[in-house]
């Protein structure tokens, strides 16, 4: 992966994005388009053309782009999502659609197609999902039959972003050699799209089914010129693409939360602003800010590792899954809380939090549902647990425990210790034969590892050497408080819900099990909770500008 943009270029891009979208799509226009279920294709094309050139950030320099890295892409995707998640989805679809070429194409294919994205602003689509093959790409029915000079493709694709506006689509089809990607241009005979879907949210994006009826593509449009590499090529990029969708959840969640913060600072109830009521801030604002920042810590850590070259061949797919799971769930919950925080106003369409909530919901579904991600995380970390004979999370716990105490590192380490003990109990009692147990382990693993990641982020900030392009909304002292709050939550969640999970797997007349979380560990989790309200008070004061820390 490229070293990425310099900080000045990234900042200019983020600023230009905001200026462009605010001018082209003010809030009133966004609401009109949302109500009409209309994608502003002219705006999307302008963003990917000479007017802005946002697509250049995702294209390597050798093909005419700016060569942005994973960290740059996360910052840009977060900014796009704060502006409008439907618009962000349309822009991201071009990047996703070009991925099979970027990661699996021949040099000539990359030069041809990626070069045209950079120079001409072509819009791409990613044609993988089918009516009967959503997250399970191996169940695809679309076929590509070899004929003289190329292939004839037949099938249907479903839920395709940019489906009826894309100039080019990368289509996954089953060849005699196995699943393979093909580049199909708009206007090719037999290639058509359905009427755009009437969606719950992201209504400013174009989503449509694609139909392929004896569509001929020349042999040189087979990505990589070798059959059977399609699923491998798709798997190679999940760590990266899921990180970008994680940034969508992060951006939309924070946009909703910031609107709730602004609303509650002005809204007076019973003689005082809502912002002054601890029952309001500590339920509807602070917990969601904490979980969003825990997700950010994991996103930034994973992006840094990808940019360092660790993500090759899909090596960080599990980390991408954790990042997306955390950020999309946190963003969706934050948007839900933002509606509640606005009261009746939040339930009405003129207030953008209503639209944001409908928009952000998709982040828990596309590019891997939360349930698929829970299973992905659980299966991978379960294998790690077995291979290391239970030492994987205990090793993580030791490294986190060595961080400065003010970051909540001791509690984060305790969460990881409890996680390791829970997984060992699941091993000895063979509880992972229950799919429900595996899914719930996926959630608890994500929380435990995020607690460690957030503690490391806070420690790096305290040390004065955070990543150059990191988000700097919160000072080191406030990041430490945020880390302490999340560490307490993660430890309690793993200990209490883990115990319930293990005991719940027993039959009603079963013998009680020792979970490895009882006694000293559970006592330690409870002993870590004092100070929670004081930390939440501090975070609330910073969010509302009542403290300058």
């Amino acid at each position: 992966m490229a070293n990425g943009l310099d900080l000045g270029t990234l900042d200019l891009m983020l600023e230009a994005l905001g200026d462009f979208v605010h001018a082209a799509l003010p809030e009133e226009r966004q609401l009109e388009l949302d109500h009409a279920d209309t994608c502003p294709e002219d705006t999307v094309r302008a963003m990917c053309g000479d007017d802005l050139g946002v697509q250049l950030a995702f294209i390597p320099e050798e093909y005419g782009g700016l060569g942005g890295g994973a960290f740059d892409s996360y910052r840009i995707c977060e900014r796009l999502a704060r502006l409008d998640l439907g618009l962000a989805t349309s822009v991201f679809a071009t990047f996703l659609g070009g991925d099979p070429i970027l990661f699996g194409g021949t040099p000539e294919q990359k030069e041809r197609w990626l070069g045209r994205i950079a120079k001409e602003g072509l819009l791409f689509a990613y044609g993988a999902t089918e009516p009967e093959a959503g997250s399970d790409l191996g169940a695809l029915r679309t076929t590509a039959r070899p004929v003289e000079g190329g292939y004839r493709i037949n099938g249907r694709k479903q839920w395709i972003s940019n489906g009826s506006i894309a100039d080019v689509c990368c289509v996954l089809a089953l060849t005699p050699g196995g699943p393979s990607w093909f580049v199909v241009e708009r206007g090719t005979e037999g290639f058509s799209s359905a009427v755009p879907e009437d969606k719950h949210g992201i209504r400013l994006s174009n989503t449509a089914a694609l139909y392929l009826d004896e569509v001929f593509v020349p042999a040189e449009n087979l990505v990589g010129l070798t059959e059977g590499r399609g699923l491998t090529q798709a798997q190679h990029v999940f760590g990266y693409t899921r990180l970008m969708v994680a940034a969508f959840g992060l951006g939309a969640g924070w946009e909703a939360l910031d609107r709730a913060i602004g609303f509650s600072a002005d809204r007076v109830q019973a003689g005082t602003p809502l912002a002054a009521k601890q029952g309001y801030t500590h339920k509807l604002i602070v917990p969601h800010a904490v979980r969003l920042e825990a997700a950010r810590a994991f996103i930034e850590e994973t992006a840094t590792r990808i940019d360092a070259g660790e993500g090759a061949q899909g090596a960080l797919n599990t980390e991408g899954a954790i990042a997306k799971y955390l950020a999309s769930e946190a963003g969706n919950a934050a948007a839900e809380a933002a509606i509640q925080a606005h009261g009746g106003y939040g339930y009405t369409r003129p207030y953008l939090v209503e639209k944001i909530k409908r928009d952000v919901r998709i982040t828990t579904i596309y590019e891997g549902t939360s349930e698929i991600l829970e299973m992905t995380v659980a299966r991978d970390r379960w294998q790690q647990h077995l291979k290391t004979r239970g030492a994987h999370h205990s090793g993580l716990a030791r490294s986190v425990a060595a961080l400065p105490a003010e970051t909540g590192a001791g509690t984060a380490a305790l969460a990881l210790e409890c996680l390791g003990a829970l997984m060992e109990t699941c091993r000895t009692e063979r509880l992972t034969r229950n799919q429900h147990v595996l899914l719930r382990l996926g959630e608890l693993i994500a929380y435990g590892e995020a607690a460690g990641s957030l503690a490391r982020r806070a420690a790096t900030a305290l040390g004065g050497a955070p990543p150059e392009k990191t988000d700097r909304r919160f000072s080191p002292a406030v990041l430490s408080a945020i880390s302490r709050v999340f560490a307490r939550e993660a430890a309690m969640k793993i200990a209490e819900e883990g115990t319930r999970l293990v005991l719940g797997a027993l039959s009603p007349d079963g013998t009680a099990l020792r979970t490895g979380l009882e006694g000293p560990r559970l006592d330690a989790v409870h002993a870590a909770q004092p100070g929670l309200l004081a930390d939440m008070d501090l975070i609330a004061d910073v969010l509302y500008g009542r403290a300058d820390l």
Side-chain angles (χ1 to χ4, degrees):
M1 188 59 64
N3 291 328
L5 310 177
D6 61 75
L7 180 59
T9 301
L10 176 61
D11 285 343
L12 284 173
M13 175 66 77
L14 297 176
E15 182 179 356
L17 274 172
D19 292 344
F20 184 91
V21 175
H22 286 143
L25 297 175
E27 288 187 12
E28 296 80 5
R29 180 60 177 153
Q30 288 185 29
L31 291 170
E32 290 172 2
L33 291 168
D34 176 76
H35 182 71
D37 193 15
T38 300
C39 171
E41 182 180 349
D42 55 344
T43 302
V44 175
R45 290 192 178 277
M47 291 177 71
C48 296
D50 294 337
D51 290 356
L52 187 63
V54 66
Q55 85 284 5
L56 297 177
F58 303 107
I59 303 295
E61 290 184 82
E62 57 265 39
Y63 306 116
L66 295 174
F71 210 104
D72 303 310
S73 298
Y74 129 65
R75 292 298 308 277
I76 291 169
C77 285
E78 180 191 7
R79 181 65 171 140
L80 282 167
R82 291 198 66 138
L83 296 167
D84 182 87
L85 191 50
L87 196 66
T89 298
S90 289
V91 172
F92 178 69
T94 284
F95 168 69
L96 182 63
D99 264 353
I101 300 168
L102 177 61
F103 291 94
T106 65
E108 294 76 17
Q109 289 173 334
K110 294 177 184 179
E111 180 68 37
R112 178 184 179 187
W113 297 109
L114 300 182
R116 290 189 65 189
I117 293 174
K119 296 179 180 67
E120 302 173 30
L122 290 184
L123 298 185
F124 262 66
Y126 185 81
T129 305
E130 298 184 359
E132 303 301 324
S135 297
D136 181 12
L137 295 183
L140 80 160
R141 298 286 186 269
T142 300
T143 60
R145 183 180 77 255
V147 296
E148 184 178 354
Y151 294 82
R152 291 281 179 185
I153 304 179
N154 287 277
R156 177 181 175 181
K157 298 297 178 178
Q158 189 75 29
W159 318 121
I160 307 303
S161 296
N162 288 355
S164 57
I165 67 171
D167 303 300
V168 183
C169 184
C170 276
V171 172
L172 187 65
L174 190 62
T175 68
S180 308
W181 288 100
F182 293 89
V183 181
V184 184
E185 294 189 69
R186 186 180 187 178
T188 303
E189 185 177 356
F191 184 41
S192 62
S193 61
V195 173
E197 303 286 353
D198 184 5
K199 303 186 298 297
H200 174 65
I202 57 168
R203 291 163 69 85
L204 271 69
S205 71
N206 174 276
T207 308
L210 300 177
Y211 303 107
L212 300 106
D213 182 14
E214 286 292 295
V215 173
F216 174 79
V217 293
E220 61 263 28
N221 283 25
L222 168 63
V223 175
L225 301 183
T226 302
E227 294 180 359
R229 295 181 178 176
L231 295 186
T232 300
Q233 290 162 348
Q235 289 290 334
H236 281 179
V237 301
F238 273 153
Y240 188 85
T241 56
R242 284 174 173 164
L243 200 69
M244 301 309 106
V245 177
F248 283 173
L250 179 67
W254 260 120
E255 182 63 22
L257 206 60
D258 278 331
R259 287 176 179 272
I261 291 170
F263 177 85
S264 59
D266 297 329
R267 179 70 168 169
V268 175
Q269 288 284 352
T272 57
L274 289 172
K277 300 178 187 297
Q278 192 186 65
Y280 178 99
T281 60
H282 287 33
K283 178 185 178 183
L284 300 176
I285 304 297
V286 174
H288 300 287
V290 167
R291 291 172 198 140
L292 286 167
E293 288 307 298
R296 184 190 302 280
F298 206 92
I299 289 170
E300 291 198 347
E301 195 167 71
T302 303
T304 298
R305 293 177 65 186
I306 290 174
D307 285 341
E310 292 185 47
Q313 307 299 309
L316 294 178
N317 280 358
T318 301
E319 284 71 14
I322 292 173
K324 181 185 178 298
Y325 178 77
L326 289 166
S328 61
E329 291 289 333
N332 188 52
E336 178 74 22
I339 287 181
Q340 190 75 11
H342 280 74
Y345 292 104
Y347 201 63
T348 61
R349 294 191 185 276
Y351 282 76
L352 238 64
V353 291
E354 186 273 340
K355 175 182 174 299
I356 293 170
K357 175 61 182 73
R358 286 186 288 106
D359 287 349
V360 74
R361 186 65 178 83
I362 191 60
T363 64
T364 68
I365 297 174
Y366 66 7
E367 199 63 12
T369 67
S370 289
E371 293 70 33
I372 288 290
L373 300 183
E374 286 175 337
M375 187 62 75
T376 297
V377 171
R379 283 175 172 167
D380 179 78
R381 294 308 195 242
W382 182 247
Q383 290 300 316
Q384 288 286 331
H385 183 82
L386 297 179
K387 288 177 183 177
T388 63
R389 302 192 179 197
H392 179 69
H393 284 108
S394 60
L396 290 178
R398 287 192 297 273
S399 66
V400 170
L403 298 172
E406 59 263 47
T407 66
T411 308
L414 180 60
L416 288 163
E417 289 176 11
C418 289
L419 184 58
L422 171 61
M423 294 181 74
E424 183 60 16
T425 299
C426 288
R427 182 192 69 81
T428 58
E429 302 300 327
R430 301 183 179 180
L431 299 183
T432 56
R433 292 178 295 181
N434 300 286
Q435 189 182 60
H436 176 68
V437 171
L438 263 182
L439 284 169
R440 299 282 48 81
L441 277 179
E443 178 189 19
L444 299 180
I445 290 165
Y447 264 74
E449 295 195 16
S453 182
L454 184 52
R456 286 190 291 273
R457 182 177 177 225
T460 301
L462 285 171
E468 182 184 41
K469 291 182 276 192
T470 190
D471 177 85
R472 297 177 186 273
R473 176 170 185 165
F474 299 111
S475 70
V478 179
L479 270 179
S480 292
I482 290 172
S483 181
R484 292 193 296 269
V485 171
F486 188 79
R488 292 186 186 99
E489 180 182 6
M492 185 67 80
K493 186 178 184 71
I494 292 167
E496 298 285 5
E497 293 187 20
T499 299
R500 179 173 180 267
L501 183 67
V502 168
L503 296 177
L506 294 173
S507 61
D509 58 350
T511 303
L513 298 173
R514 284 191 58 81
T515 67
L517 303 177
E518 300 163 345
R521 278 200 179 96
L522 194 55
D523 290 343
V525 169
H526 292 162
Q529 301 306 313
L532 173 63
L533 278 181
D535 281 338
M536 294 180 77
D537 287 341
L538 183 153
I539 295 166
D541 285 343
V542 169
L543 287 171
Y544 284 95
R546 300 189 292 251
D548 185 16
L549 296 175

